[in-house]
Amino acid sequence: MNLTRRSLLRIGVGLGAGALGPRLALAEVPAAEGPAPAAPSQARHGLSFFGDLKYPADFTHFDYVNPEAPKGGPFSQMGRATFYNQSLSTFDTLNPYNQRGNGAQGIELIYDTLMTAAGDEKSAMYPRLATAVEIADEGLTYRFPLNPAARFHDGTALTAADVVASFAALKADGYETIRMALRDLIAVEPDGDQAVVMRFKPGRARDVPLTAAGMPIFSKAHLAHHPFNQSSLELPLGSGPYKVGRFEQGRFIEYDRVKDYWGARLPALTGRFNFDTVRYEYFRDRIAGFEGFKAKAYLFREEFTAREWATQYDFPAVRDGRVKLETLPDESFSGVQGWFFNTRRPQFFDRRVREAIGLLFDFDWTRRNLMYDAYHRTVSFFQNSDMMAQGLPSPAELKLLDPFRAQLPEEVFGEPYAPPASDGSGEDRALRLKAVALLKDAGYLIRQGKLVNAKGEPFTMEFLDDDGAMERHHARFIGHLKKVGIDATFRIVDPAQFQARLQAFDFDVVVRRYSFAPYPGDELRAYFSTEAARTPGSYNVAGIADPVVDALIAQALAAGNADALVTCCRALDRVLRAGHYWIPQWYSGENRIAYWDMFGRPDVKPRYELGVLDTWWSTAPGAAKPG
């Protein structure tokens, strides 16, 4: 799965980063033309999407941490999510911020950011490298004073020059998604050694300052000697709570806690990052990974497969209490998980074809027979949030949609599309007949058991994956597709090939999972815009290129308050669901976790995050020391 914007801000990397070649190693983000801005007039102790902050300027720690949490001991896991060029099954570079290779998980732990996100607010950030933020009345100029105590791991001071060089790297050669996210950032300039000024384009997306404040900050001196647009296993230099320790390429990587970390007692970091060692284990697939967990090869596991949770967690260590099992509520967006069509491929141009294929997936049978009734059907791109379209469009939604009525299917103006329930038999003839009728309307016929177009060409489609965990789900689905003459296959490739094909949009259908921040912002462009559809490596794997979608995204980014944003997203949800760009799968609404009984944790869980890695602590004998 891919991390959300708020998840990335939470762990300290914002929306990715990029690659810096020798030519740009010391470059600065160019200044905007025109006179220097007036001095900023509003000093704030934090940033949020609509200006509201839960914590006051004099807060001492987040409510969901133990400020006296002991430090020490190990934490290890098989990774649970990826961002940018990362893979869950291997790594060959310590730079996850460009599009080369497979980045190591956890690298974000070694970097600091200007500000850091709170796990119990929808979109809020508080000082980290910056001590505050000063915002000009025109809302386009932000000044960040820097904490003079900030140090890189080699002992050198972190200054404005490092911040400027970092943004030059991110904007010049970063992963495509991050370059898109920073398009409205037009200048990052030093104001002496201990402050930076950022200037944004008029009409900028509302969340761009938060995105910028959550970017990793690199050492300018290190960048000068280490081309940032390359994949490399050379040790990077950061200033964060951890530094890279031992690793074996493709097998494991460890991060060692920086014992004299300069920011350990900052209010936004107090009580966090408590383990002496954080280790990520790599396995060829999650089945092998589960065997590793049973053997105590690592200590924490989140289980994503209902069948495994229901049938496999009864091994001796569970029965005698050495391994604990829990389900925790997941109050974040349920996310968008499903089979995404690559609409750049001609066989998927017609939305009737996409709808027909979706009808052939029997979720009700799959839930009962393969997933132990543990999941609910996803229907919306904003599932389980107030952004989710329901019922008939409201007057406010119609005001947004009516100007495009001639360009939209009529179903946009009725109940939002939801996949119909099957009879649960696994052989729902009514849905199959409806699918065949849609395919016929789109110009396809079944001849000698094969679905062909007007030229007699067979309809083929390949499901691409780099893991066999969902092979049973694919097999059943493919069986139904073959019954209407579709030549469907399932192909597993190695992680490097999968990453390359995904970035080049060289696939027919692929499973992806995305989640949005509670207040969606510029990520809407990354997932759904025409520009993203044309950008290799973007999250718009479906190739959605619709001027109506682009217009609604622009409305959402310009929304002046939460109510206006909700209305825009509901209208957008209706249009996207009517486009049948994906076959929605399922969601759980809870986190299933298993862990060896070696941990303590705060009484309160952060509302929008799992909070394990950065708020728990070790209880292993002799491991933990007072914080």
Side-chain angles (χ1 to χ4, degrees):
M1 89 179 220
N2 290 90
L3 295 178
T4 67
R5 182 190 79 227
R6 69 155 293 102
S7 297
L8 292 172
L9 293 176
R10 175 91 176 97
I11 58 179
V13 291
L15 277 170
L20 183 64
R23 179 176 61 87
L24 292 168
L26 301 179
E28 296 182 357
V29 179
E33 295 181 2
S41 60
Q42 301 176 47
R44 301 179 184 179
H45 70 283
L47 287 173
S48 71
F49 210 82
F50 291 113
D52 51 324
L53 294 169
K54 171 183 176 180
Y55 293 95
D58 60 350
F59 84 102
T60 58
H61 58 82
F62 291 140
D63 290 345
Y64 53 84
V65 305
N66 173 6
E68 302 302 326
K71 307 290 186 183
F75 178 85
S76 55
Q77 67 176 338
M78 181 181 180
R80 55 187 295 269
T82 62
F83 68 94
Y84 304 113
N85 69 9
Q86 291 178 336
S87 166
L88 289 174
S89 56
T90 191
F91 72 93
D92 52 26
T93 177
L94 299 183
N95 182 0
Y97 302 114
N98 63 26
Q99 295 189 183
R100 295 177 179 268
N102 296 280
Q105 297 177 75
I107 286 290
E108 63 275 4
L109 294 170
I110 79 169
Y111 296 115
D112 280 314
T113 55
L114 292 174
M115 308 192 87
T116 195
D120 56 353
E121 292 183 83
K122 287 189 173 182
S123 289
M125 304 184 75
Y126 295 90
R128 189 162 176 169
L129 284 172
T131 58
V133 57
E134 300 163 0
I135 306 173
D137 289 340
E138 28 84 342
L140 300 175
T141 305
Y142 285 58
R143 182 178 183 271
F144 294 91
L146 300 179
N147 194 318
R151 293 289 185 274
F152 288 105
H153 298 151
D154 63 358
T156 59
L158 189 154
T159 69
D162 300 299
V163 179
V164 172
S166 298
F167 279 92
L170 302 174
K171 284 183 67 72
D173 295 301
Y175 199 93
E176 289 294 338
T177 304
I178 193 57
R179 292 169 67 183
M180 290 177 61
L182 290 179
R183 82 190 79 189
D184 291 343
L185 175 63
I186 58 175
V188 180
E189 303 161 334
D191 183 6
D193 287 340
Q194 293 300 312
V196 291
V197 175
M198 292 185 182
R199 288 194 276 160
F200 300 91
K201 290 180 182 177
R204 62 163 174 82
R206 180 174 295 278
D207 62 329
V208 174
L210 281 78
T211 299
M215 291 292 174
I217 301 304
F218 314 113
S219 162
K220 177 180 177 179
H222 189 82
L223 292 176
H225 301 289
H226 298 81
F228 202 57
N229 60 354
Q230 303 296 318
S231 62
S232 173
L233 291 172
E234 290 189 69
L235 294 182
L237 177 63
S239 65
Y242 288 89
K243 59 184 177 182
V244 177
R246 299 188 308 135
F247 66 87
E248 290 185 24
Q249 180 180 341
R251 293 188 58 197
F252 74 88
I253 184 168
E254 291 182 351
Y255 298 92
D256 297 329
R257 185 170 64 87
V258 178
K259 301 298 175 58
D260 58 350
Y261 172 45
W262 73 270
R265 302 307 295 183
L266 291 174
L269 301 182
T270 293
R272 299 173 58 191
F273 307 117
N274 302 313
F275 299 106
D276 271 355
T277 303
V278 172
R279 178 175 170 125
Y280 290 81
E281 293 283 354
Y282 288 81
F283 297 88
R284 67 179 181 272
D285 55 44
R286 290 196 65 82
I287 296 174
F290 179 61
E291 295 303 315
F293 177 72
K294 289 163 60 177
K296 208 175 181 178
Y298 60 98
L299 303 175
F300 177 89
R301 177 180 175 88
E302 183 173 3
E303 183 55 66
F304 299 107
T305 304
R307 182 171 73 99
E308 299 298 318
W309 187 253
T311 65
Q312 299 301 308
Y313 284 80
D314 63 348
F315 50 93
V318 173
R319 291 195 293 269
D320 64 26
R322 288 175 293 146
V323 167
K324 302 295 185 183
L325 308 181
E326 290 190 57
T327 56
L328 302 178
D330 182 0
E331 297 185 70
S332 61
F333 279 15
S334 295
V336 180
Q337 179 174 311
W339 287 282
F340 282 81
F341 297 105
N342 184 358
T343 62
R344 304 169 187 85
R345 298 284 170 95
Q347 66 266 44
F348 303 124
F349 284 173
D350 195 315
R351 74 184 189 95
R352 292 170 296 183
V353 170
R354 304 193 295 266
E355 181 181 0
I357 293 173
L359 292 174
L360 296 169
F361 170 56
D362 192 333
F363 170 76
D364 298 280
W365 184 93
T366 302
R367 174 176 58 188
R368 186 177 68 250
N369 291 278
L370 300 184
M371 301 189 298
Y372 291 80
D373 285 324
Y375 292 93
H376 309 285
R377 187 75 191 263
T378 298
V379 299
S380 167
F381 284 84
F382 303 98
Q383 190 72 38
N384 276 10
S385 79
D386 53 3
M387 314 282 176
M388 176 178 170
Q390 301 185 64
L392 297 175
S394 67
E397 290 173 67
L398 287 175
K399 186 176 180 180
L400 294 173
L401 294 169
D402 273 337
F404 307 106
R405 188 176 285 269
Q407 301 165 253
L408 293 170
E410 189 57 34
E411 67 184 86
V412 169
F413 298 91
E415 296 277 343
Y417 180 81
S422 75
D423 61 14
S425 68
E427 297 292 340
D428 193 316
R429 290 179 56 84
L431 289 180
R432 188 181 304 164
L433 289 171
K434 183 177 179 180
V436 170
L438 284 166
L439 292 168
K440 183 178 180 181
D441 288 345
Y444 287 90
L445 297 172
I446 300 176
R447 292 179 181 169
Q448 298 180 335
K450 298 292 185 182
L451 187 71
V452 298
N453 61 17
K455 297 179 181 179
E457 298 167 331
F459 192 108
T460 64
M461 58 185 289
E462 177 186 83
F463 294 89
L464 185 70
D465 208 339
D466 64 345
D467 187 288
M470 289 185 61
E471 191 164 4
R472 295 183 311 142
H473 304 77
H474 282 88
R476 184 75 185 186
F477 189 9
I478 287 171
H480 288 298
L481 294 170
K482 290 183 179 295
K483 289 178 181 179
V484 299
I486 294 176
D487 181 11
T489 56
F490 178 53
R491 185 178 183 187
I492 300 177
V493 298
D494 65 77
Q497 185 179 354
F498 181 78
Q499 188 73 256
R501 290 186 61 176
L502 197 66
Q503 291 181 5
F505 305 129
D506 181 18
F507 60 87
D508 291 340
V509 183
V510 68
V511 174
R512 304 307 287 160
R513 185 181 189 278
Y514 303 123
S515 291
F516 300 111
Y519 286 142
D522 204 57
E523 68 255 51
L524 296 174
R525 286 198 290 204
Y527 291 120
F528 305 130
S529 72
T530 299
E531 179 184 2
R534 297 169 180 167
T535 303
S538 83
Y539 290 153
N540 189 350
V541 294
I544 300 168
D546 183 341
V548 178
V549 169
D550 292 339
L552 291 173
I553 291 173
Q555 293 269 14
L557 297 182
N561 54 60
D563 289 342
L565 177 60
V566 166
T567 298
C568 292
C569 288
R570 288 176 179 172
L572 178 62
D573 192 32
R574 293 178 187 278
V575 175
L576 291 171
R577 287 160 71 173
H580 301 284
Y581 298 107
W582 66 322
I583 303 168
Q585 290 182 340
W586 46 82
Y587 69 97
S588 167
E590 60 186 16
N591 300 109
R592 297 181 289 252
I593 63 172
Y595 55 93
W596 288 82
D597 189 14
M598 299 173 59
F599 303 113
R601 65 187 187 198
D603 294 333
V604 178
K605 171 187 170 295
R607 180 174 182 180
Y608 298 111
E609 302 294 342
L610 195 56
V612 174
L613 177 58
D614 74 327
T615 69
W616 288 23
W617 59 87
S618 176
T619 59
K625 301 177 179 63

